[in-house]
Amino acid sequence: MRRLDRRGAIRFVDAADAGASCPVDRAELLARFHARENGCMLSGAAAFAAMWRAIPLLRPLGLAARNVHVLAFLEWVYRRFLSARPTLQRLVREFGKRRRAV
């Protein structure tokens, strides 16, 4: 995403950094993706949609997510991804170990 943000419209903050400002509980910030748009804190698919709206190439997706049905579908997909994320991370780690061993 940083490469797509050529205008520098997005300020990325690492919530795992102890020195980072946390407007929300740090554990909650680390559990789901968060973004602030026009002073409003967003979470999950709504946060991704806000980020997409800031990137010209992805703006149409972000605008489509303003539709309640589209956003509900994206949130459903995001929640499924969150439940699969630990398994995906484990598989990527194992794949990386195998590639280094070869």
Side-chain angles (χ1 to χ4, degrees):
M1 283 299 152
R2 290 177 200 239
R3 281 184 264 151
L4 292 174
D5 183 26
R6 294 184 180 144
R7 296 179 309 157
I10 301 171
R11 189 176 130 243
F12 291 92
V13 177
D14 183 357
D17 179 5
S21 172
C22 290
V24 179
D25 176 62
R26 191 174 305 278
E28 186 179 335
L29 284 174
L30 293 171
R32 288 176 55 92
F33 185 72
H34 288 76
R36 189 176 309 189
E37 183 180 46
N38 300 325
C40 182
M41 183 63 77
L42 304 168
S43 173
F48 276 101
M51 183 174 59
W52 296 337
R53 285 190 289 274
I55 299 172
L57 181 66
L58 300 175
R59 186 168 173 76
L61 291 173
L63 293 175
R66 285 194 166 149
N67 177 290
V68 66
H69 300 292
V70 172
L71 186 58
F73 173 73
L74 291 172
E75 183 64 27
W76 179 83
V77 170
Y78 182 66
R79 287 179 185 212
R80 298 308 168 281
F81 164 75
L82 287 178
S83 65
R85 184 172 62 175
T87 302
L88 293 171
Q89 288 172 324
R90 182 180 49 77
L91 291 172
V92 167
R93 274 193 307 271
E94 288 176 10
F95 179 74
K97 287 178 186 176
R98 289 181 186 164
R99 285 195 72 184
R100 285 190 297 271
V102 172

Short mmCIF file of all heavy atoms in Angstrom, two decimals, residues 38-94:
data_model
loop_
_atom_site.label_atom_id
_atom_site.label_comp_id
_atom_site.label_asym_id
_atom_site.label_seq_id
_atom_site.Cartn_x
_atom_site.Cartn_y
_atom_site.Cartn_z
N ASN A 38 -11.22 11.67 8.23
CA ASN A 38 -11.99 12.86 8.63
C ASN A 38 -12.28 12.88 10.13
O ASN A 38 -13.38 13.19 10.57
CB ASN A 38 -13.30 12.96 7.84
CG ASN A 38 -13.05 13.06 6.35
OD1 ASN A 38 -12.08 13.67 5.92
ND2 ASN A 38 -13.91 12.45 5.57
N GLY A 39 -11.29 12.47 10.93
CA GLY A 39 -11.42 12.48 12.38
C GLY A 39 -12.19 11.32 12.97
O GLY A 39 -12.33 11.21 14.19
N CYS A 40 -12.68 10.42 12.13
CA CYS A 40 -13.47 9.27 12.60
C CYS A 40 -12.60 8.01 12.55
O CYS A 40 -11.99 7.72 11.53
CB CYS A 40 -14.69 9.11 11.70
SG CYS A 40 -15.77 7.76 12.18
N MET A 41 -12.53 7.28 13.66
CA MET A 41 -11.76 6.03 13.72
C MET A 41 -12.60 4.90 13.14
O MET A 41 -13.73 4.67 13.55
CB MET A 41 -11.38 5.71 15.17
CG MET A 41 -10.52 4.47 15.31
SD MET A 41 -8.91 4.59 14.52
CE MET A 41 -8.04 5.59 15.67
N LEU A 42 -12.02 4.21 12.16
CA LEU A 42 -12.69 3.10 11.49
C LEU A 42 -11.92 1.82 11.74
O LEU A 42 -10.71 1.84 11.97
CB LEU A 42 -12.76 3.37 9.98
CG LEU A 42 -13.43 4.68 9.58
CD1 LEU A 42 -13.19 4.98 8.11
CD2 LEU A 42 -14.92 4.62 9.87
N SER A 43 -12.61 0.70 11.64
CA SER A 43 -12.00 -0.60 11.91
C SER A 43 -12.43 -1.60 10.84
O SER A 43 -13.51 -1.49 10.27
CB SER A 43 -12.45 -1.08 13.29
OG SER A 43 -12.01 -2.39 13.54
N GLY A 44 -11.56 -2.58 10.59
CA GLY A 44 -11.91 -3.66 9.67
C GLY A 44 -12.04 -3.21 8.23
O GLY A 44 -11.25 -2.40 7.74
N ALA A 45 -13.05 -3.71 7.57
CA ALA A 45 -13.26 -3.40 6.15
C ALA A 45 -13.47 -1.91 5.92
O ALA A 45 -13.01 -1.37 4.91
CB ALA A 45 -14.46 -4.20 5.61
N ALA A 46 -14.12 -1.23 6.84
CA ALA A 46 -14.33 0.22 6.69
C ALA A 46 -12.99 0.96 6.70
O ALA A 46 -12.81 1.94 5.97
CB ALA A 46 -15.23 0.73 7.81
N ALA A 47 -12.03 0.48 7.48
CA ALA A 47 -10.70 1.09 7.52
C ALA A 47 -9.96 0.85 6.20
O ALA A 47 -9.31 1.75 5.68
CB ALA A 47 -9.90 0.54 8.70
N PHE A 48 -10.07 -0.36 5.67
CA PHE A 48 -9.45 -0.63 4.37
C PHE A 48 -10.08 0.26 3.29
O PHE A 48 -9.38 0.82 2.44
CB PHE A 48 -9.60 -2.10 3.99
CG PHE A 48 -8.54 -2.98 4.57
CD1 PHE A 48 -8.79 -3.75 5.68
CD2 PHE A 48 -7.26 -3.02 4.01
CE1 PHE A 48 -7.81 -4.55 6.23
CE2 PHE A 48 -6.27 -3.82 4.55
CZ PHE A 48 -6.55 -4.60 5.66
N ALA A 49 -11.39 0.40 3.32
CA ALA A 49 -12.08 1.23 2.33
C ALA A 49 -11.61 2.68 2.42
O ALA A 49 -11.41 3.33 1.40
CB ALA A 49 -13.59 1.14 2.52
N ALA A 50 -11.40 3.18 3.63
CA ALA A 50 -10.91 4.55 3.79
C ALA A 50 -9.51 4.68 3.19
O ALA A 50 -9.21 5.68 2.52
CB ALA A 50 -10.88 4.92 5.27
N MET A 51 -8.67 3.68 3.40
CA MET A 51 -7.33 3.70 2.83
C MET A 51 -7.41 3.67 1.30
O MET A 51 -6.70 4.40 0.62
CB MET A 51 -6.52 2.51 3.35
CG MET A 51 -5.10 2.50 2.87
SD MET A 51 -4.09 1.20 3.60
CE MET A 51 -4.98 -0.26 3.10
N TRP A 52 -8.29 2.84 0.78
CA TRP A 52 -8.44 2.74 -0.67
C TRP A 52 -8.89 4.08 -1.26
O TRP A 52 -8.46 4.45 -2.35
CB TRP A 52 -9.44 1.65 -1.04
CG TRP A 52 -9.02 0.28 -0.65
CD1 TRP A 52 -7.75 -0.18 -0.41
CD2 TRP A 52 -9.87 -0.84 -0.43
NE1 TRP A 52 -7.76 -1.51 -0.06
CE2 TRP A 52 -9.05 -1.93 -0.06
CE3 TRP A 52 -11.25 -1.01 -0.49
CZ2 TRP A 52 -9.57 -3.19 0.22
CZ3 TRP A 52 -11.77 -2.27 -0.20
CH2 TRP A 52 -10.93 -3.35 0.15
N ARG A 53 -9.77 4.80 -0.55
CA ARG A 53 -10.25 6.09 -1.06
C ARG A 53 -9.13 7.11 -1.17
O ARG A 53 -9.21 8.05 -1.97
CB ARG A 53 -11.38 6.63 -0.18
CG ARG A 53 -12.69 5.90 -0.40
CD ARG A 53 -13.85 6.59 0.30
NE ARG A 53 -13.83 6.48 1.74
CZ ARG A 53 -14.34 5.47 2.43
NH1 ARG A 53 -14.92 4.44 1.81
NH2 ARG A 53 -14.29 5.45 3.74
N ALA A 54 -8.07 6.93 -0.38
CA ALA A 54 -6.94 7.87 -0.40
C ALA A 54 -5.95 7.57 -1.52
O ALA A 54 -5.08 8.40 -1.80
CB ALA A 54 -6.23 7.84 0.95
N ILE A 55 -6.07 6.43 -2.17
CA ILE A 55 -5.14 6.02 -3.23
C ILE A 55 -5.90 6.06 -4.56
O ILE A 55 -6.86 5.31 -4.74
CB ILE A 55 -4.59 4.60 -2.95
CG1 ILE A 55 -3.81 4.61 -1.63
CG2 ILE A 55 -3.72 4.12 -4.10
CD1 ILE A 55 -3.38 3.25 -1.16
N PRO A 56 -5.49 6.95 -5.47
CA PRO A 56 -6.25 7.11 -6.72
C PRO A 56 -6.56 5.81 -7.46
O PRO A 56 -7.68 5.62 -7.92
CB PRO A 56 -5.34 8.02 -7.56
CG PRO A 56 -4.61 8.83 -6.54
CD PRO A 56 -4.35 7.87 -5.39
N LEU A 57 -5.61 4.90 -7.54
CA LEU A 57 -5.83 3.64 -8.26
C LEU A 57 -6.93 2.79 -7.61
O LEU A 57 -7.70 2.12 -8.30
CB LEU A 57 -4.52 2.83 -8.30
CG LEU A 57 -4.55 1.50 -9.03
CD1 LEU A 57 -4.79 1.74 -10.53
CD2 LEU A 57 -3.25 0.75 -8.83
N LEU A 58 -7.04 2.84 -6.28
CA LEU A 58 -8.01 2.02 -5.55
C LEU A 58 -9.27 2.78 -5.14
O LEU A 58 -10.18 2.20 -4.56
CB LEU A 58 -7.34 1.42 -4.30
CG LEU A 58 -6.13 0.53 -4.57
CD1 LEU A 58 -5.49 0.09 -3.26
CD2 LEU A 58 -6.52 -0.67 -5.41
N ARG A 59 -9.30 4.08 -5.43
CA ARG A 59 -10.43 4.91 -5.01
C ARG A 59 -11.79 4.34 -5.42
O ARG A 59 -12.73 4.36 -4.61
CB ARG A 59 -10.25 6.33 -5.54
CG ARG A 59 -11.30 7.29 -5.04
CD ARG A 59 -10.92 8.74 -5.33
NE ARG A 59 -11.99 9.65 -5.00
CZ ARG A 59 -12.33 10.03 -3.78
NH1 ARG A 59 -11.66 9.55 -2.74
NH2 ARG A 59 -13.32 10.86 -3.57
N PRO A 60 -11.96 3.82 -6.64
CA PRO A 60 -13.28 3.26 -6.99
C PRO A 60 -13.74 2.15 -6.02
O PRO A 60 -14.92 2.08 -5.68
CB PRO A 60 -13.08 2.71 -8.40
CG PRO A 60 -11.97 3.54 -8.96
CD PRO A 60 -11.05 3.80 -7.79
N LEU A 61 -12.81 1.32 -5.56
CA LEU A 61 -13.18 0.28 -4.58
C LEU A 61 -13.62 0.91 -3.27
O LEU A 61 -14.60 0.48 -2.65
CB LEU A 61 -11.99 -0.65 -4.32
CG LEU A 61 -11.57 -1.57 -5.45
CD1 LEU A 61 -10.28 -2.30 -5.07
CD2 LEU A 61 -12.67 -2.56 -5.75
N GLY A 62 -12.87 1.92 -2.83
CA GLY A 62 -13.23 2.62 -1.59
C GLY A 62 -14.58 3.30 -1.68
O GLY A 62 -15.35 3.29 -0.71
N LEU A 63 -14.86 3.90 -2.81
CA LEU A 63 -16.16 4.55 -3.00
C LEU A 63 -17.28 3.53 -3.05
O LEU A 63 -18.37 3.75 -2.49
CB LEU A 63 -16.14 5.41 -4.26
CG LEU A 63 -15.23 6.63 -4.21
CD1 LEU A 63 -15.20 7.33 -5.56
CD2 LEU A 63 -15.65 7.59 -3.11
N ALA A 64 -17.04 2.39 -3.69
CA ALA A 64 -18.06 1.33 -3.73
C ALA A 64 -18.38 0.83 -2.32
O ALA A 64 -19.52 0.48 -2.03
CB ALA A 64 -17.58 0.17 -4.61
N ALA A 65 -17.37 0.84 -1.45
CA ALA A 65 -17.56 0.35 -0.08
C ALA A 65 -18.41 1.30 0.76
O ALA A 65 -18.78 0.96 1.88
CB ALA A 65 -16.21 0.12 0.59
N ARG A 66 -18.74 2.46 0.24
CA ARG A 66 -19.66 3.35 0.96
C ARG A 66 -21.08 2.80 0.91
O ARG A 66 -21.92 3.20 1.72
CB ARG A 66 -19.60 4.75 0.39
CG ARG A 66 -18.34 5.46 0.80
CD ARG A 66 -18.42 6.93 0.54
NE ARG A 66 -17.33 7.58 1.25
CZ ARG A 66 -16.74 8.67 0.82
NH1 ARG A 66 -17.13 9.24 -0.30
NH2 ARG A 66 -15.76 9.21 1.52
N ASN A 67 -21.33 1.88 -0.01
CA ASN A 67 -22.62 1.21 -0.08
C ASN A 67 -22.70 0.21 1.08
O ASN A 67 -21.78 -0.59 1.27
CB ASN A 67 -22.76 0.49 -1.43
CG ASN A 67 -24.05 -0.29 -1.52
OD1 ASN A 67 -24.22 -1.31 -0.86
ND2 ASN A 67 -24.95 0.18 -2.37
N VAL A 68 -23.75 0.26 1.83
CA VAL A 68 -23.89 -0.56 3.04
C VAL A 68 -23.77 -2.06 2.73
O VAL A 68 -23.18 -2.81 3.51
CB VAL A 68 -25.19 -0.23 3.81
CG1 VAL A 68 -26.42 -0.61 3.01
CG2 VAL A 68 -25.20 -0.87 5.17
N HIS A 69 -24.28 -2.50 1.59
CA HIS A 69 -24.24 -3.92 1.24
C HIS A 69 -22.83 -4.35 0.84
O HIS A 69 -22.36 -5.43 1.21
CB HIS A 69 -25.24 -4.24 0.13
CG HIS A 69 -26.65 -3.91 0.52
ND1 HIS A 69 -27.33 -4.59 1.49
CD2 HIS A 69 -27.48 -2.94 0.06
CE1 HIS A 69 -28.54 -4.06 1.63
NE2 HIS A 69 -28.65 -3.05 0.78
N VAL A 70 -22.15 -3.48 0.09
CA VAL A 70 -20.77 -3.78 -0.30
C VAL A 70 -19.89 -3.83 0.94
O VAL A 70 -19.08 -4.76 1.12
CB VAL A 70 -20.24 -2.74 -1.31
CG1 VAL A 70 -18.75 -2.93 -1.57
CG2 VAL A 70 -21.03 -2.80 -2.61
N LEU A 71 -20.04 -2.85 1.84
CA LEU A 71 -19.24 -2.84 3.06
C LEU A 71 -19.53 -4.05 3.94
O LEU A 71 -18.61 -4.65 4.51
CB LEU A 71 -19.47 -1.55 3.84
CG LEU A 71 -18.58 -1.36 5.07
CD1 LEU A 71 -17.10 -1.39 4.69
CD2 LEU A 71 -18.92 -0.06 5.77
N ALA A 72 -20.77 -4.46 4.02
CA ALA A 72 -21.13 -5.65 4.80
C ALA A 72 -20.45 -6.89 4.23
O ALA A 72 -19.93 -7.73 4.98
CB ALA A 72 -22.64 -5.83 4.85
N PHE A 73 -20.44 -7.01 2.91
CA PHE A 73 -19.76 -8.14 2.27
C PHE A 73 -18.26 -8.10 2.55
O PHE A 73 -17.66 -9.12 2.89
CB PHE A 73 -20.02 -8.15 0.76
CG PHE A 73 -19.21 -9.19 0.04
CD1 PHE A 73 -19.53 -10.53 0.15
CD2 PHE A 73 -18.12 -8.82 -0.73
CE1 PHE A 73 -18.77 -11.50 -0.49
CE2 PHE A 73 -17.36 -9.78 -1.39
CZ PHE A 73 -17.68 -11.13 -1.26
N LEU A 74 -17.64 -6.93 2.40
CA LEU A 74 -16.21 -6.81 2.67
C LEU A 74 -15.88 -7.13 4.13
O LEU A 74 -14.86 -7.77 4.42
CB LEU A 74 -15.72 -5.40 2.32
CG LEU A 74 -15.72 -5.05 0.83
CD1 LEU A 74 -15.40 -3.57 0.64
CD2 LEU A 74 -14.73 -5.92 0.08
N GLU A 75 -16.73 -6.71 5.05
CA GLU A 75 -16.51 -7.03 6.47
C GLU A 75 -16.62 -8.54 6.70
O GLU A 75 -15.85 -9.12 7.46
CB GLU A 75 -17.50 -6.27 7.35
CG GLU A 75 -17.31 -6.49 8.84
CD GLU A 75 -15.99 -5.98 9.38
OE1 GLU A 75 -15.39 -5.04 8.83
OE2 GLU A 75 -15.53 -6.54 10.42
N TRP A 76 -17.56 -9.18 6.03
CA TRP A 76 -17.72 -10.64 6.13
C TRP A 76 -16.44 -11.33 5.65
O TRP A 76 -15.93 -12.23 6.31
CB TRP A 76 -18.93 -11.08 5.31
CG TRP A 76 -19.18 -12.54 5.33
CD1 TRP A 76 -19.85 -13.25 6.28
CD2 TRP A 76 -18.75 -13.50 4.34
NE1 TRP A 76 -19.88 -14.58 5.94
CE2 TRP A 76 -19.21 -14.77 4.76
CE3 TRP A 76 -18.05 -13.41 3.16
CZ2 TRP A 76 -18.97 -15.93 4.04
CZ3 TRP A 76 -17.81 -14.56 2.43
CH2 TRP A 76 -18.26 -15.80 2.88
N VAL A 77 -15.90 -10.88 4.51
CA VAL A 77 -14.66 -11.45 3.97
C VAL A 77 -13.50 -11.19 4.93
O VAL A 77 -12.69 -12.07 5.20
CB VAL A 77 -14.35 -10.86 2.57
CG1 VAL A 77 -12.96 -11.25 2.09
CG2 VAL A 77 -15.40 -11.32 1.57
N TYR A 78 -13.43 -9.97 5.46
CA TYR A 78 -12.34 -9.60 6.39
C TYR A 78 -12.37 -10.48 7.64
O TYR A 78 -11.33 -10.96 8.09
CB TYR A 78 -12.45 -8.12 6.76
CG TYR A 78 -11.35 -7.65 7.67
CD1 TYR A 78 -10.03 -7.60 7.23
CD2 TYR A 78 -11.62 -7.26 8.97
CE1 TYR A 78 -9.01 -7.17 8.06
CE2 TYR A 78 -10.61 -6.82 9.80
CZ TYR A 78 -9.31 -6.77 9.34
OH TYR A 78 -8.30 -6.36 10.19
N ARG A 79 -13.54 -10.73 8.19
CA ARG A 79 -13.63 -11.58 9.38
C ARG A 79 -13.20 -13.02 9.08
O ARG A 79 -12.56 -13.67 9.91
CB ARG A 79 -15.06 -11.57 9.94
CG ARG A 79 -15.37 -10.27 10.61
CD ARG A 79 -16.78 -10.27 11.14
NE ARG A 79 -17.08 -8.95 11.67
CZ ARG A 79 -17.89 -8.75 12.68
NH1 ARG A 79 -18.50 -9.77 13.26
NH2 ARG A 79 -18.12 -7.54 13.10
N ARG A 80 -13.54 -13.52 7.89
CA ARG A 80 -13.08 -14.86 7.50
C ARG A 80 -11.56 -14.88 7.39
O ARG A 80 -10.90 -15.82 7.80
CB ARG A 80 -13.70 -15.32 6.17
CG ARG A 80 -15.21 -15.46 6.15
CD ARG A 80 -15.73 -16.31 7.29
NE ARG A 80 -17.15 -16.27 7.49
CZ ARG A 80 -17.84 -15.32 8.12
NH1 ARG A 80 -17.27 -14.24 8.55
NH2 ARG A 80 -19.13 -15.44 8.33
N PHE A 81 -10.99 -13.82 6.81
CA PHE A 81 -9.55 -13.72 6.70
C PHE A 81 -8.90 -13.71 8.09
O PHE A 81 -7.90 -14.39 8.31
CB PHE A 81 -9.14 -12.44 5.94
CG PHE A 81 -7.70 -12.09 6.13
CD1 PHE A 81 -6.71 -12.82 5.48
CD2 PHE A 81 -7.33 -11.06 6.98
CE1 PHE A 81 -5.37 -12.51 5.67
CE2 PHE A 81 -5.99 -10.75 7.17
CZ PHE A 81 -5.01 -11.48 6.52
N LEU A 82 -9.47 -12.95 9.03
CA LEU A 82 -8.89 -12.90 10.38
C LEU A 82 -8.87 -14.26 11.05
O LEU A 82 -7.92 -14.59 11.75
CB LEU A 82 -9.66 -11.91 11.26
CG LEU A 82 -9.45 -10.43 10.96
CD1 LEU A 82 -10.31 -9.58 11.89
CD2 LEU A 82 -7.99 -10.05 11.07
N SER A 83 -9.89 -15.07 10.80
CA SER A 83 -9.91 -16.41 11.41
C SER A 83 -8.89 -17.33 10.74
O SER A 83 -8.35 -18.23 11.38
CB SER A 83 -11.31 -17.01 11.37
OG SER A 83 -11.71 -17.24 10.05
N ALA A 84 -8.60 -17.09 9.46
CA ALA A 84 -7.62 -17.92 8.74
C ALA A 84 -6.20 -17.39 8.87
O ALA A 84 -5.24 -18.10 8.57
CB ALA A 84 -8.00 -17.99 7.26
N ARG A 85 -6.03 -16.16 9.33
CA ARG A 85 -4.71 -15.52 9.37
C ARG A 85 -3.66 -16.31 10.15
O ARG A 85 -2.54 -16.48 9.64
CB ARG A 85 -4.83 -14.10 9.92
CG ARG A 85 -3.52 -13.35 9.88
CD ARG A 85 -3.69 -11.90 10.24
NE ARG A 85 -4.19 -11.73 11.58
CZ ARG A 85 -4.35 -10.56 12.17
NH1 ARG A 85 -4.07 -9.45 11.51
NH2 ARG A 85 -4.80 -10.48 13.39
N PRO A 86 -3.94 -16.84 11.34
CA PRO A 86 -2.90 -17.60 12.04
C PRO A 86 -2.40 -18.80 11.24
O PRO A 86 -1.20 -19.07 11.19
CB PRO A 86 -3.59 -18.05 13.33
CG PRO A 86 -4.69 -17.07 13.53
CD PRO A 86 -5.14 -16.68 12.15
N THR A 87 -3.29 -19.49 10.57
CA THR A 87 -2.89 -20.63 9.74
C THR A 87 -2.06 -20.17 8.56
O THR A 87 -1.03 -20.78 8.23
CB THR A 87 -4.13 -21.40 9.24
OG1 THR A 87 -4.89 -21.83 10.37
CG2 THR A 87 -3.75 -22.58 8.38
N LEU A 88 -2.48 -19.08 7.92
CA LEU A 88 -1.72 -18.54 6.78
C LEU A 88 -0.32 -18.10 7.21
O LEU A 88 0.66 -18.37 6.52
CB LEU A 88 -2.47 -17.37 6.16
CG LEU A 88 -3.78 -17.69 5.46
CD1 LEU A 88 -4.52 -16.42 5.08
CD2 LEU A 88 -3.53 -18.56 4.25
N GLN A 89 -0.22 -17.47 8.38
CA GLN A 89 1.08 -17.03 8.88
C GLN A 89 1.99 -18.23 9.14
O GLN A 89 3.18 -18.20 8.83
CB GLN A 89 0.92 -16.20 10.15
CG GLN A 89 0.33 -14.83 9.88
CD GLN A 89 -0.02 -14.09 11.15
OE1 GLN A 89 -0.46 -14.68 12.13
NE2 GLN A 89 0.16 -12.78 11.12
N ARG A 90 1.42 -19.28 9.73
CA ARG A 90 2.20 -20.49 10.00
C ARG A 90 2.69 -21.12 8.70
O ARG A 90 3.87 -21.50 8.58
CB ARG A 90 1.36 -21.51 10.79
CG ARG A 90 2.12 -22.77 11.16
CD ARG A 90 1.26 -23.75 11.94
NE ARG A 90 -0.04 -24.03 11.36
CZ ARG A 90 -0.26 -24.83 10.31
NH1 ARG A 90 0.74 -25.42 9.70
NH2 ARG A 90 -1.49 -25.04 9.87
N LEU A 91 1.82 -21.19 7.70
CA LEU A 91 2.21 -21.77 6.40
C LEU A 91 3.32 -20.95 5.73
O LEU A 91 4.26 -21.52 5.17
CB LEU A 91 1.00 -21.87 5.48
CG LEU A 91 -0.05 -22.90 5.89
CD1 LEU A 91 -1.28 -22.77 5.01
CD2 LEU A 91 0.51 -24.31 5.81
N VAL A 92 3.22 -19.64 5.81
CA VAL A 92 4.25 -18.78 5.20
C VAL A 92 5.58 -18.97 5.92
O VAL A 92 6.63 -19.05 5.29
CB VAL A 92 3.80 -17.30 5.22
CG1 VAL A 92 4.95 -16.37 4.90
CG2 VAL A 92 2.64 -17.09 4.26
N ARG A 93 5.55 -19.06 7.26
CA ARG A 93 6.79 -19.29 8.02
C ARG A 93 7.42 -20.63 7.64
O ARG A 93 8.63 -20.71 7.41
CB ARG A 93 6.51 -19.27 9.53
CG ARG A 93 6.55 -17.89 10.13
CD ARG A 93 6.57 -17.95 11.65
NE ARG A 93 5.51 -18.75 12.23
CZ ARG A 93 4.31 -18.29 12.56
NH1 ARG A 93 4.00 -17.03 12.36
NH2 ARG A 93 3.41 -19.08 13.09
N GLU A 94 6.60 -21.68 7.54
CA GLU A 94 7.11 -23.00 7.18
C GLU A 94 7.69 -23.00 5.76
O GLU A 94 8.74 -23.58 5.51
CB GLU A 94 6.01 -24.05 7.30
CG GLU A 94 5.66 -24.37 8.73
CD GLU A 94 4.50 -25.35 8.84
OE1 GLU A 94 4.09 -25.92 7.80
OE2 GLU A 94 4.00 -25.52 9.96
#
